[in-house]
């Protein structure tokens, strides 16, 4: 089983920083390339840019919790939850080697976190 992990392309776990403008403030976010790939795939699926997706997720967590303790960690967890809640995403190639062709038209990012109740996974499971 370790060969699955050991043979991972090192580019996927190399961290990169990107600047994102959130409501006029520029912030730097450092994530591993795999997470940037997942975010880009989700954004393409929604028909929005990766930056717009990040702003949407930021706004949603601010609305619910009033603050974001660690944006990079929140984005990583969001990516993992997305892949966990939508296992077909892996077969579409969202996790690696993503294709940004054919994005969902008119997406506003709301469906990214608005999963049906029967697809919710509790933190206890």
């Amino acid at each position: 089983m370790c060969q699955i992990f050991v043979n991972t392309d090192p580019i996927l776990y190399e961290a990169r920083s990107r600047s994102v403008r959130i409501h006029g403030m520029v912030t730097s976010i450092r994530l591993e390339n795999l997470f940037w790939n997942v975010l880009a795939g989700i954004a393409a699926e929604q028909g929005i840019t990766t930056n717009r997706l990040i702003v949407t997720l930021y706004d949603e967590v601010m609305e619910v919790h009033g603050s974001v303790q660690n944006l990079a960690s929140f984005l990583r967890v969001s990516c993992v939850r997305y892949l966990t809640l939508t296992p077909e995403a892996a077969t579409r190639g969202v996790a690696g080697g993503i294709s940004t062709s054919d994005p969902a038209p008119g997406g506003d990012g709301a469906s990214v976190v608005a999963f049906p109740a029967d697809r919710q996974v509790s933190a206890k499971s």
Side-chain angles (χ1 to χ4, degrees), residues 2 44 50 53-54 71 73 89 92 94 102 112 125:
C2 288
T50 303
L53 173 67
I54 291 169
L71 183 57
S73 292
R92 286 194 316 269
V94 172
D102 221 12
V112 171
S125 50

Side-chain angles (χ1 to χ4, degrees), residues 44-116:
E45 187 177 277
Q46 297 295 314
I48 58 178
T49 66
T50 303
N51 283 5
R52 181 71 227 149
L53 173 67
I54 291 169
V55 171
T56 300
L57 292 171
Y58 175 87
D59 287 347
E60 289 176 357
V61 77
M62 287 295 291
E63 184 177 316
V64 172
H65 297 289
S67 67
V68 181
Q69 300 264 335
N70 184 326
L71 183 57
S73 292
F74 170 73
L75 293 173
R76 284 186 194 94
V77 170
S78 295
C79 288
V80 171
R81 285 187 48 87
Y82 173 79
L83 293 173
T84 301
L85 296 171
T86 59
E88 65 276 5
T91 61
R92 286 194 316 269
V94 172
I98 61 159
S99 168
T100 56
S101 61
D102 221 12
D108 63 359
S111 65
V112 171
V113 292
F115 291 104

